[in-house]
Structures are given as structure tokens and as C-alpha cells.
């Protein structure tokens, strides 16, 4: 056994419009051993979304029941809706030795850090604020007011990036995906994740003495 016995938990955040979904999608295609947690939310389903694939779409009542039952690993209110990570999936996958990635906003990321200090926090930055503004405006799907609100939230989120472990800059998709692969690979090889393996090797050494 030459790998950590438990999987590593990665948290992936970044402002709206930075392209984190696209980076993550490409990364997961190239790294099938890492699984993405499916979040629960109370926001309305968007066109093209599928319940159970993009999110578990819940009523406020059901979401609050899950909070009360301790079934959410973390949760936050964002844009007037609840978003949260169902606990059971994450715990089972980590226990089975698989790496898990949560795509969540910053309040949830810091809750995970408090609860699981060994989690690795990764933040996706735009190459510049002007570029983020350009990408949000260029989508052509949002009103001026909605773009202004998203940019204001982005400023607050970017201010939190300094407390993450790693920064990825999404200037070019392939390059950002390479950065994410490098970061997750290196982070999973931290000595602290190899304690059991080191103990086994040490015990073998003792047998030889
Ligand atoms: P959207 O509504 O655009 O899908 O997501 C809005 C924000 O909620 C994004 O920043 C997304 O990363 C975040 N989010 C999605 N799922 C979760 C979750 O389970 N917990 C938290 N805290 N944030 C989430």
C-alpha cells in the first residue's frame, strides 16, 4: 500500500464568470480517480440542468430538515438560496480512498476548513478584474444590475483568496487545468497523508533488526 489510506478532500472556489465549471469539467475528465460531490440547493433549476446530476434540487423545508439532522457537511446562503454539501457521500468516498472535490463558495469553504483542517483549498482567479468584467458582460444572459451584483460579490470573494492554499489563474483553459492537476497531485503527496504508510514501512524496518 503506497498511497494514503484515506482520500484527500479538495475545495474549489472562484467568482462567478471565472470559468471554474469548465476547468473542473476538463480536470475530472482527465482525472477519473477524483470524484465531484453533488451539492443540494433550493435555487430554481436552470434550463438544461438535471436533478441529481447538477444539483439535488430541494425545497427550503427539506433543506432545513437535512441541516437539523446533521446531514450537511457545510451549507451557506448565496443569492437568496441555500447551497450545501450532503455529508454522507463525501465521508464514504474519502473512507474508500477516493479524492473528493467540492465546488463551493467561500463561506462553505471556510466551514470545511474548520471541520476538516486537512482539506486543501484551491481558488480560481481571473487573469484580471477587467477580464472578469468582460466575461460576465460577454455572456449576454445577465442584466446590468445582475452583472453589477456579481462583480461586487466577486470583489469580496477575491479578498478571501489569500486564505486559500493554492491559486489557479484561468487565463487559458488547458493551462488552468494543468495547474489544477499539478496542485492536486502535489497536495495529495503531503507527508501528513502518508502517516499509515510510513508506519507500515517503519514496522517492516523493525522486523529486520
Ligand atoms: P450557481 O447557482 O451558479 O450554480 O452557484 C452559485 C454559487 O454557489 C457558486 O459559487 C457555487 O460554487 C456555490 N455552491 C454550489 N454548491 C455549493 C455547496 O454545496 N455549498 C456552498 N457553500 N456553495 C455551493
Amino acid at each position: 500500500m503506497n498511497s494514503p489510506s484515506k482520500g484527500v478532500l479538495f475545495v474549489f472556489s472562484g467568482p462567478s464568470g471565472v470559468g471554474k465549471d469548465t476547468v473542473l469539467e476538463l480536470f475530472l475528465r482527465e482525472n477519473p480517480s477524483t470524484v465531484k460531490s453533488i451539492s443540494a440547493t433550493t435555487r430554481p433549476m436552470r434550463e438544461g440542468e438535471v436533478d441529481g446530476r447538477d444539483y439535488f434540487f430541494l425545497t427550503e423545508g427539506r433543506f432545513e430538515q437535512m441541516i437539523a439532522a446533521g446531514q450537511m457537511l457545510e451549507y451557506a446562503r448565496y443569492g437568496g438560496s441555500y447551497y450545501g454539501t450532503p455529508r454522507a457521500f463525501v465521508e464514504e468516498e474519502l473512507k474508500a480512498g477516493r479524492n473528493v472535490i467540492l465546488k463551493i463558495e467561500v463561506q462553505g469553504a471556510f466551514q470545511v476548513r474548520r471541520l476538516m483542517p486537512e482539506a486543501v483549498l484551491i481558488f480560481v482567479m481571473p487573469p484580471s478584474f477587467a477580464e472578469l468584467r468582460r466575461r460576465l458582460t460577454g455572456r449576454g444572459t445577465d442584466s446590468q444590475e445582475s452583472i453589477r451584483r456579481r462583480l461586487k460579490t466577486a470583489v469580496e470573494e477575491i479578498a478571501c483568496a489569500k486564505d486559500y492554499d493554492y491559486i489557479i489563474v484561468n487565463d487559458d483553459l488547458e493551462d488552468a487545468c494543468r495547474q489544477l492537476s499539478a496542485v492536486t497531485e502535489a497536495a495529495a503527496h503531503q507527508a501528513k497523508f502518508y502517516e499509515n504508510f510510513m508506519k507500515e514501512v517503519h514496522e517492516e524496518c523493525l522486523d529486520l533488526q
Side-chain angles (χ1 to χ4, degrees):
M1 173 83 169
N2 62 0
S3 60
S5 46
K6 258 185 80 190
V8 180
L9 183 60
F10 295 107
V11 172
F12 194 59
S13 309
S16 171
V18 79
K20 53 185 186 300
D21 294 86
T22 322
V23 174
L24 192 54
E25 206 177 292
L26 182 60
F27 170 81
L28 290 171
R29 221 180 302 144
E30 293 175 357
N31 295 271
S33 61
T34 298
V35 292
K36 180 181 168 289
S37 153
I38 299 170
S39 294
T41 184
T42 59
R43 81 147 161 74
M45 202 187 288
R46 294 182 189 137
E47 213 182 304
E49 285 184 328
V50 176
D51 188 27
R53 183 193 72 189
D54 298 291
Y55 282 104
F56 296 109
F57 292 93
L58 306 181
T59 61
E60 293 255 329
R62 177 72 191 115
F63 198 104
E64 285 171 357
Q65 263 176 3
M66 287 185 72
I67 298 172
Q71 291 168 349
M72 290 295 181
L73 180 65
E74 61 73 38
Y75 68 93
R77 278 198 89 94
Y78 186 94
S81 301
Y82 277 123
Y83 291 84
T85 305
R87 179 191 294 277
F89 174 83
V90 174
E91 290 182 348
E92 280 159 22
E93 292 295 310
L94 291 176
K95 211 164 134 199
R98 278 184 287 276
N99 296 341
V100 178
I101 195 153
L102 313 180
K103 194 200 74 183
I104 64 178
E105 51 67 67
V106 296
Q107 306 164 60
F110 295 135
Q111 284 176 49
V112 172
R113 161 151 293 159
R114 276 193 297 278
L115 223 65
M116 298 178 160
E118 69 285 5
V120 178
L121 272 54
I122 305 167
F123 193 93
V124 196
M125 287 284 285
S128 67
F129 200 70
E131 174 60 18
L132 184 68
R133 185 195 300 267
R134 203 186 60 73
R135 287 182 194 170
L136 278 174
T137 315
R139 296 210 286 212
T141 51
D142 304 287
S143 65
Q144 282 299 104
E145 174 50 25
S146 152
I147 293 171
R148 204 190 58 79
R149 226 178 317 116
R150 279 168 198 263
L151 284 171
K152 197 165 160 276
T153 307
V155 173
E156 291 163 10
E157 289 171 329
I158 288 170
C160 296
K162 66 178 189 336
D163 295 319
Y164 277 63
D165 298 307
Y166 294 94
I167 300 290
I168 282 173
V169 181
N170 186 19
D171 196 357
D172 168 80
L173 171 63
E174 300 271 324
D175 197 39
C177 186
R178 248 192 316 274
Q179 291 174 43
L180 182 56
S181 297
V183 160
T184 50
E185 179 84 13
H189 282 274
Q190 292 174 84
K192 66 182 176 196
F193 294 135
Y194 281 81
E195 273 170 16
N196 287 341
F197 174 63
M198 287 189 284
K199 223 179 278 166
E200 283 170 30
V201 174
H202 185 65
E203 276 159 17
E204 271 181 68
C205 299
L206 293 179
D207 286 349
L208 288 178
Q209 281 172 359

